Amino acid sequence: MKLSPSFFAASDSSPAETGDAQPTQTGDAAKAAATGKAEASSKQADTAKSGTTKAAKTGSKKTTAAATKTTSVDARLPPGGVNMITPSALAQTSYYKVGDDVTFAWNYTSLSVKPSKIDVYVSCQANSATYTISNNATFEPTGKVVWDTKPEASGTAPLLTETYTLVIHDASKDITAIPVAGHLGAYNQFQFGMYTPQPYTPLSEGWRCATCSGAMSSVDMQALKFMLGMCMITPISNMPSSSTQPAQWTSSMKSFLKRALANGEDNKSAIILLETEYPKMVGKVGEKWVEKVRRGEA
């Protein structure tokens, strides 16, 4: 059998192309593919690791924040309150003059969660007005404020001769919020009075004693003076002549006597008026003492 030369040529060239060209290209591509896969895998791993780290950090921050804001309080505990120090909670009703500085001081009770800021103000139901004393004040274990009641400092509404209520509450909560165990509830249990002093009015210009029965007119006063002059229990002739200060003498009695003398009353008439206003002083005030008051020596 005779074979053609072309047969050998085909046989010789085919293995060279198959062994040299095709396997070389396949090997390079495999290396590139392997390298790409490794890089992609590495990037995915880094991304996953970074995401895990961020998530862990974020979760840690959220957990810490939640732990900071949340405080466990026994629901059976009472809400936080206020105990007044100045004026004392045991004192009788306090009265303050409009224009003076008024000091309030207090402690907190049953407080498990401390507020960061405190609001303090005064309310008056008569004129539906609110007077701010302290706004967003930093919390202190013992609270203290000084209220300037001068007209230009007290607020827009003028202060009346009325009853007022002191209000202390957590600035971060509404005043109508329901009290919660261990948290400061709105305190509005302390009430006090404010008054405006009246200007001095002489007897001759119609001054009337606010504590006298019926606040008699000047005509009634003259009639009373005449009647007492005629039939006093202690006759004027028997009035004590001592120049010493009578027992149970007070500054208000001295002021009353001075007003009577300043209005032109003589010593005896001034004594009658004084004993009418202060019955416990009947027979105890001497003319010489009144004269010393008149001269400013007493």
Side-chain angles (χ1 to χ4, degrees):
M1 180 180 175
K2 188 175 179 180
L3 297 178
S4 159
S6 61
F7 173 80
F8 293 102
S11 299
D12 293 338
S13 59
S14 181
E17 292 175 359
T18 302
D20 296 337
Q22 189 64 30
T24 301
Q25 293 175 358
T26 303
D28 294 338
K31 288 181 181 179
T35 303
K37 289 181 180 180
E39 290 177 355
S41 177
S42 177
K43 288 182 180 179
Q44 290 177 356
D46 291 341
T47 302
K49 183 178 180 180
S50 175
T52 303
T53 303
K54 288 182 180 179
K57 289 183 178 179
T58 304
S60 176
K61 289 181 180 179
K62 289 182 178 179
T63 304
T64 303
T68 302
K69 293 182 179 179
T70 305
T71 302
S72 178
V73 178
D74 190 340
R76 295 171 296 180
L77 293 175
V82 168
N83 179 44
M84 294 301 299
I85 301 175
T86 306
S88 171
L90 301 178
Q92 296 180 348
T93 304
S94 300
Y95 296 92
Y96 303 98
K97 183 172 68 176
V98 174
D100 289 350
D101 289 343
V102 182
T103 300
F104 300 113
W106 64 90
N107 284 330
Y108 297 96
T109 61
S110 305
L111 201 59
S112 301
V113 179
K114 298 177 181 178
S116 58
K117 301 291 182 180
I118 296 294
D119 284 348
V120 183
Y121 62 87
V122 166
S123 66
C124 178
Q125 188 174 4
N127 61 356
S128 301
T130 299
Y131 306 90
T132 300
I133 302 178
S134 180
N135 190 33
N136 274 333
T138 301
F139 173 84
E140 297 290 346
T142 298
K144 182 178 179 180
V145 294
V146 178
W147 183 27
D148 185 354
T149 65
K150 296 182 183 65
E152 63 273 15
S154 60
T156 54
L159 290 168
L160 307 178
T161 300
E162 272 293 344
T163 300
Y164 294 78
T165 302
L166 178 68
V167 180
I168 303 170
H169 75 102
D170 187 341
S172 66
K173 298 181 180 179
D174 191 82
I175 187 66
T176 59
I178 299 175
V180 180
H183 294 254
L184 179 63
Y187 173 80
N188 59 356
Q189 301 301 310
F190 177 71
Q191 292 187 325
F192 59 95
M194 298 292 296
Y195 69 93
T196 302
Q198 298 300 315
Y200 171 74
T201 303
L203 287 172
S204 59
E205 296 180 12
W207 177 82
R208 295 185 180 185
C209 170
T211 59
C212 295
S213 177
M216 296 179 291
S217 66
S218 57
V219 176
D220 295 332
M221 183 66 73
Q222 292 296 331
L224 178 62
K225 287 166 58 180
F226 175 79
M227 180 180 65
L228 290 175
M230 295 297 295
C231 55
M232 283 189 61
I233 297 176
T234 303
I236 293 178
S237 57
N238 293 331
M239 283 184 177
S241 59
S242 174
S243 61
T244 58
Q245 178 175 301
Q248 297 181 309
W249 187 254
T250 64
S251 59
S252 60
M253 294 178 186
K254 184 176 180 180
S255 298
F256 181 91
L257 183 58
K258 282 185 173 182
R259 285 198 299 270
L261 295 172
N263 281 308
E265 305 291 347
D266 58 30
N267 292 353
K268 292 180 180 179
S269 297
I271 292 175
I272 294 173
L273 292 174
L274 180 69
E275 292 178 343
T276 302
E277 178 70 11
Y278 301 96
K280 67 179 181 178
M281 300 306 294
V282 172
K284 297 180 180 179
V285 182
E287 287 189 66
K288 292 183 179 180
W289 168 254
V290 175
E291 185 62 28
K292 289 180 69 174
V293 173
R294 180 191 295 275
R295 296 177 180 176
E297 299 174 357

